[in-house]
Amino acid sequence: RADGTTLPHFAKPRSLCAIPKNISMLRIILLSILPLSLFAQQEENWDVYMASYEKGAGSTLINMSAKTKAGDKGLPFIVITGVTFKDCNPDGFPTKHQFDELYIIADSVKNIVANSSPSLAVGTFTYQCERLEYYYVRDTNGLRTKLNKLYKRSFPSYLSYTNIKVDKSWDAYLK
């Protein structure tokens, strides 16, 4: 495909005639359900790139598979949230130890967002000792409060940032 993603290929049995009836029926049921369950699972395709900005290099991790959902009317809000961290190298990137902590923060944020509303993680941006997570969500009711409580309770040594706004055309993702 043009966007670099691949679709799963399903092999069909050539003949069910030689298989006993009870196994044939089980196989037919499994072959009917399997494609549906595979399509129901979100296959993600993440890509990373580095770029030079005014004050130095930045890193973007982007969910390329989200492109098929871009503009989804069911996810009209963008949530941009993250932290400023102190344990970074001279280029503004986190140290190994800091990366481990940032993953814990990211997992905690993901749980809050996922449990608050249907959502889709679309990317992260790391630049000058700051790490931001980007999500598109259906509903923002109470989300800012939950994120602020999370940061205050679980990560009080970090300066947190949260911006929630309407982005029906997914400009933050597409542009």
Side-chain angles (χ1 to χ4, degrees), residues 21-76:
K21 283 186 178 184
N22 57 349
I23 294 176
S24 293
M25 184 55 78
L26 178 61
R27 199 171 203 181
I28 290 169
I29 291 169
L30 287 175
L31 288 172
S32 298
I33 295 172
L34 184 62
L36 294 175
S37 65
L38 288 175
F39 277 58
Q41 294 175 3
Q42 173 80 21
E43 185 177 318
E44 294 182 345
N45 176 20
W46 290 86
D47 201 2
V48 64
Y49 68 89
M50 303 282 289
S52 182
Y53 299 95
E54 185 178 317
K55 294 181 181 178
S59 171
T60 300
L61 180 63
I62 186 166
N63 182 352
M64 299 302 289
S65 60
K67 190 172 183 180
T68 61
K69 288 256 195 193
D72 183 338
K73 303 232 186 292
L75 301 171

Side-chain angles (χ1 to χ4, degrees), residues 50-60 85-96 98-99 125-131:
M50 303 282 289
S52 182
Y53 299 95
E54 185 178 317
K55 294 181 181 178
S59 171
T60 300
F85 50 92
K86 294 178 182 156
D87 192 7
C88 53
N89 64 33
D91 293 330
F93 289 105
T95 62
K96 166 69 173 112
Q98 185 65 68
F99 254 125
F125 181 64
T126 306
Y127 176 67
Q128 294 297 299
C129 305
E130 185 175 71
R131 172 83 170 218

Side-chain angles (χ1 to χ4, degrees), residues 1-2 13 42 51 54 58 67 69 118 130 150 155 160 162 167 172:
R1 292 176 33 168
Q42 173 80 21
E54 185 178 317
K67 190 172 183 180
K69 288 256 195 193
E130 185 175 71
L150 169 73
F155 309 104
S160 65
T162 300
D167 186 13

Side-chain angles (χ1 to χ4, degrees), residues 15 45 84 86 115 118 120-121 153 175:
S15 172
N45 176 20
T84 300
K86 294 178 182 156
N115 289 323
L120 180 62
R153 181 186 68 242
K175 296 180 180 182

Side-chain angles (χ1 to χ4, degrees), residues 94-107 158:
T95 62
K96 166 69 173 112
H97 173 73
Q98 185 65 68
F99 254 125
D100 293 341
E101 290 193 21
L102 290 174
Y103 288 131
I104 293 168
I105 294 170
D107 287 344
Y158 293 89

Side-chain angles (χ1 to χ4, degrees), residues 128-163:
Q128 294 297 299
C129 305
E130 185 175 71
R131 172 83 170 218
L132 298 174
E133 308 283 331
Y134 291 72
Y135 292 88
Y136 278 93
V137 299
R138 177 177 297 160
D139 183 14
T140 63
N141 190 22
L143 186 54
R144 182 184 311 276
T145 301
K146 291 175 186 175
L147 288 169
N148 288 340
K149 283 181 183 177
L150 169 73
Y151 290 126
K152 192 174 200 174
R153 181 186 68 242
S154 300
F155 309 104
S157 64
Y158 293 89
L159 176 63
S160 65
Y161 171 86
T162 300
N163 185 8

